Amino acid sequence: MEDGMASVFRDDFLWGGACAANQFEGAWDVDGKGDSVPDHCMTGTYDPERGTHAEKSISVKIDPKGLYPSHEAIDFYHHYEEDIALFAEMDFTCFRTSINWTRIYPTGLEDEPNEAGLAFYDRVFDCCLAHGIQPLVTLTHYETPYALVERYNGWASRELVACYEKFCHTAFERYRDKVRLWLTFNEINCSTLDFGAMFGTSIVRGYEGGRHELKVSPQLRYQALHHQFVASAKVVKYAHDHYPQFKMGCMTVFLQTHPATCDPADQLANQANMHQHCWYTSDVQVRGTYPSYARRFWDENGISIAMEPEDEKVLREGKVDFFSFSYYMTNLVGTHEDLMEASGNVMGGGRNPYLPTSEWGWTIDPQGLRFALNEIWDRYQIPLMVVENGLGAFDKVEDDGSIHDGYRIDYLREHVRQMREAVKDGVDLRGYTWWGPIDLVSNGTGEMRKRYGFIYVDKHDDGTGTLKRSRKDSFYYYQRLIASNGEDLG
């Protein structure tokens, strides 16, 4: 921080960026790595009118002629030293990444881990620490081994709990002196959403035309989610018992919604939506028990959760130390159909006339982040971290190689401004990691043109590109913002 500039944020506030192994590592079959669910995801057909790809599909067998974005991605596997050096140039104090489960246990069923995979993350974490960057590690960011899907239908089967525990125990012991901050599952509440089942719980069963048919019944999704709750709680307790230096967190996508009108019916509809898609999962992980309204939801949706006798005790004993979440947008919820025009947001719903949208139709609502931080803090009173926040946009490379992404700077500035206000409100906020500090593959569609990074990567939707890295204008803006500990908004 510059001399004489007092900051609202803590002196030890963590500034950085966040990536997922399956979206940026590449090297999908290198050094003994097995295939994960994202490795079987092909991009959809490109639609020139929409300017995007169709929804990805899961292929049963890897098609050598197919385009699988995760197979090379941006090849962080072979560029990690260069990339981490660029993060350090921006003055990162934290880098959130995930461990690709299949680098450690290629099928998830092995008795012994893959040493080459373990050694790769040793190198990554050592490189981070050498630059003064603290790793924040997500144990699985949708990287379920594909073999576990074929054998058990993913997290629909309780057998995955033990497989996950084995993987986590191995990671904890290996990196005990290098990693202190851990997240058990990425955006675990995606399993409450129909479209989230592919990645959130990796449920696929049966196939048609060489591709898996995704099964998204509420019964399967919520049973799978229960197994993830149990798995998370078990590894949190194990970490607390064996590695007291660790801090264990949960991670949700915070799908903040606003009531469409002041009609009390809209208020209740919004409350119900927030209960189901936000609080349902975090209540279990933070409070250690299912919320009171869960039983009614199960009854009304024909859901019967199979539990072991000790599960409730396991959940109580496996409560997390901090709450982390992603925040990109807000949406409207209401009962008046004429106001519920479909939007481009992840959750659909009504378009908010008071808010601008991104090129992908996602609403841009910085004040919603302040609102969310206050709501979460008031509910749980444990430390918070914003571990994903960012803007996907088209970037133009000028003739001289420069990239003027003022729209990304504006988005970052206003969200940090609202975080400052939340801290003034009394929220215990510990860190902020921008989603995609370097361009990476879109999780939803496999696109590269939907760019988030401060660092541009020469990689394109058709898989071509030199992989050359270059700095955007936002790179230097974030550098200055971090140097001032969030005060120099410029």
Side-chain angles (χ1 to χ4, degrees), residues 331-389:
N331 201 8
L332 296 183
V333 170
T335 60
H336 301 271
E337 292 186 8
D338 58 320
L339 298 177
M340 292 291 103
E341 176 190 353
S343 70
N345 278 354
V346 169
M347 289 291 289
R351 187 178 300 278
N352 193 323
Y354 298 99
L355 297 174
T357 61
S358 75
E359 292 170 305
W360 268 260
W362 293 16
T363 55
I364 299 173
D365 185 2
Q367 288 180 306
L369 177 56
R370 177 185 177 186
F371 185 87
L373 284 165
N374 274 283
E375 288 289 288
I376 299 166
W377 171 247
D378 287 347
R379 191 177 187 96
Y380 297 130
Q381 299 282 302
I382 63 173
L384 309 183
M385 291 185 70
V386 179
V387 295
E388 287 187 32
N389 175 237

Side-chain angles (χ1 to χ4, degrees), residues 203-254:
I203 300 170
V204 288
R205 187 187 291 280
Y207 63 91
E208 180 178 350
R211 290 184 173 85
H212 272 303
E213 180 185 355
L214 188 63
K215 299 295 184 181
V216 292
S217 72
Q219 174 61 42
L220 274 179
R221 286 190 284 116
Y222 282 89
Q223 184 63 62
L225 181 56
H226 177 73
H227 294 151
Q228 290 185 331
F229 286 150
V230 171
S232 175
K234 284 190 171 186
V235 300
V236 166
K237 185 177 188 304
Y238 182 88
H240 287 162
D241 290 346
H242 293 85
Y243 307 100
Q245 71 272 29
F246 289 176
K247 294 297 182 183
M248 305 297 298
C250 63
M251 197 286 190
T252 70
V253 52
F254 203 77

Side-chain angles (χ1 to χ4, degrees), residues 41 54 57 108 119 160 162 199 243 271 315 328 335 417 434 469:
C41 289
S57 60
L160 263 70
F199 293 107
Y243 307 100
Q271 183 184 60
L315 296 179
Y328 294 100
T335 60
R417 190 189 306 278
W434 172 273
R469 275 68 165 154

Side-chain angles (χ1 to χ4, degrees), residues 145 189 249 274 430 465:
N189 56 329
M274 291 296 296
R430 302 292 181 93

Side-chain angles (χ1 to χ4, degrees), residues 128-141:
C128 286
L129 294 170
H131 285 288
I133 298 172
Q134 182 174 177
L136 167 60
V137 175
T138 310
L139 285 155
T140 180
H141 195 128

Side-chain angles (χ1 to χ4, degrees), residues 13-18 86-87 89-95 386 389 405 408-409 412-413 416 419 431-438 452-455 472-489:
F13 192 86
L14 295 174
W15 294 100
L86 286 166
F87 298 160
E89 188 179 333
M90 278 186 282
D91 223 8
F92 279 19
T93 54
C94 181
F95 176 49
V386 179
N389 175 237
D405 58 337
R408 186 169 290 111
I409 292 171
L412 172 60
R413 176 192 296 113
V416 172
M419 291 195 317
Y432 176 81
T433 55
W434 172 273
W435 175 251
I438 185 168
Y452 285 85
F454 306 127
I455 301 164
K472 306 177 189 179
D473 287 356
S474 57
F475 179 100
Y476 302 104
Y477 177 81
Y478 198 40
Q479 184 185 60
R480 294 195 302 273
L481 188 148
I482 294 175
S484 70
N485 198 23
E487 293 302 309
D488 183 5
L489 296 179

